[in-house]
Every structure is written in structure tokens, then in C-alpha cells.
Amino acid sequence: MMRCLVRLLLALQSSCSVLAGVCLVTAGGLYGAERFGDWDGSELDVGAAISIGLGGVLFLLGLLGLLTSCSRSYSWSYCFSIILLVIVILQCLAGVLVIFFRNEIEKLVDKSLRQSMRSYNLPDPSDSPYQVTVRNTWDGIQNILGCCGVMAFTDWSDTEFGTPGLVPESCCKEVVAGCGSDIDFGVDNPDLHQTGCVMAVQGEMAENIEMVVAVIAGLLAVQVLGVCLSCCLARSVQVEHCDL
């Protein structure tokens, strides 16, 4: 009975890994399908490639976990637990590196966001899936967080979309038809959100730091649980083999 429960929990944990991998591969693939043909080594190009690679690793790891949950080989279960443990250690090291190189990472995020803004456009039947995703993502973030642009609404003036004096209507404090047109980027616009989305996200994280820490700790705990479950399953199967 206990072994069946361990197998079930390991399968559920592995299924989550598979799902996360599919999401990352899909996100990177949407960009790559349209832009990898003109690869120029930009931050978005590299980010999309990393997303696809990381998603592939998570997907493979999830499949291995599902295989382990069905396997009767204790040696393989031990091997899988070691693989998980190594990945947990690598993630901890990556977290330390993020803290040490925080400023550089913030600059990369800033450049990537500005590059994504260049793909924003008004709805058109010929839009690619990537363009639709970019538009919906920017509109969603600006609506929910009450922000505009990366650091300020003037960031839109550097895009082809904003050159005629346009910003997305999601930048408006009160969204009405045409509220994002005829914008003078050289003066204050009190009808637009003044806070950039980077600052808005940082503010939300600072206000909900307990939740952020809890989510990170929860993700780490789930992976450590996977290591424990693999070891428990391996030990259980090993004892069964010895009894036979």
C-alpha cells in the first residue's frame, strides 16, 4: 500500500515537471518559429533558446520520473534520485549567482522587454501567434499592474508602434477607445500610468515578499520530495528483491 502511494506521488510530481517543460518549450517555440530564422544573438534570441533548452530538460526529467514510478528496478530509482539531487544543487547555485549578478540580470531583462515591445502592434488577422502573445501579455500586465512601458510610458516612443504618438490603450488609467493616441512623449500625460512595469513588478514582489519566499521554498521542497520518494521507492523494491 505504501509503495503504491509513493509511486503515485512520484508520478504526480513528475507530471508537473512534464507540464512545466511543455510550457517553457511552447513559450520559446512561439518566438523561435518566427525569429530564429533571422538569428542575431539578441537577448530575446538567447532567452528563447534557453527557455526551449530548459523546457526540454524538465520534460525529459518528468518522463524519467514517470518511468521511475512504474519501474521495478531499485538501481534505476537510486540513479533518478541522484539526478534530482544534482539538479536541486545546481538550482541552489544558480540562485546564489542571481543574487551576485543581480544588476547584470536586471539589465538583460530590461533589454529583453524593450525588444519584445518592438513586436507589439494593433490586432490584425495576419498576426503570427508570437505577435498575438506579445500583445496580450503586454496588455495584460499593464492592465493588472497599472503600469506602462518598461520604465515609463515614453519607452513606447522607441517602437514602430509608438512612433506616430501611440501607446497601448492598456496604458490608460481609464481605458476608452482612442485613449492611447495623439500622445506627446515630451510632456507628462496624467491620463496614462506613470509607473514602468519593471518597477511595478518589483513593488508587487516587495509587498508580497512572504508569498514569493513561500513559492520558492515550495518549489524547492517539491523537488526534494521527489528525491526522497525515489529513495523510498528504491529501498522498498530492494527489500522486496532481497526477500525473494
Side-chain angles (χ1 to χ4, degrees), residues 104-139:
E104 287 75 10
I105 292 175
E106 287 180 349
K107 291 178 182 177
L108 289 175
V109 171
D110 182 278
K111 291 181 180 179
S112 298
L113 291 174
R114 293 179 187 276
Q115 289 168 10
S116 71
M117 290 172 65
R118 298 171 188 167
S119 298
Y120 189 98
N121 64 341
L122 294 174
D124 187 277
S126 62
D127 286 344
S128 66
Y130 172 67
Q131 289 175 311
V132 174
T133 301
V134 167
R135 182 170 58 250
N136 291 339
T137 300
W138 271 107
D139 286 341

Side-chain angles (χ1 to χ4, degrees), residues 82-94:
I82 293 174
I83 293 173
L84 280 182
L85 182 59
V86 170
I87 290 177
V88 170
I89 293 174
L90 290 176
Q91 289 181 50
C92 292
L93 292 176

Side-chain angles (χ1 to χ4, degrees), residues 23-40:
C23 291
L24 285 175
V25 170
T26 301
L30 285 174
Y31 177 86
E34 182 173 335
R35 300 303 175 92
F36 279 176
D38 299 319
W39 177 278
D40 60 2

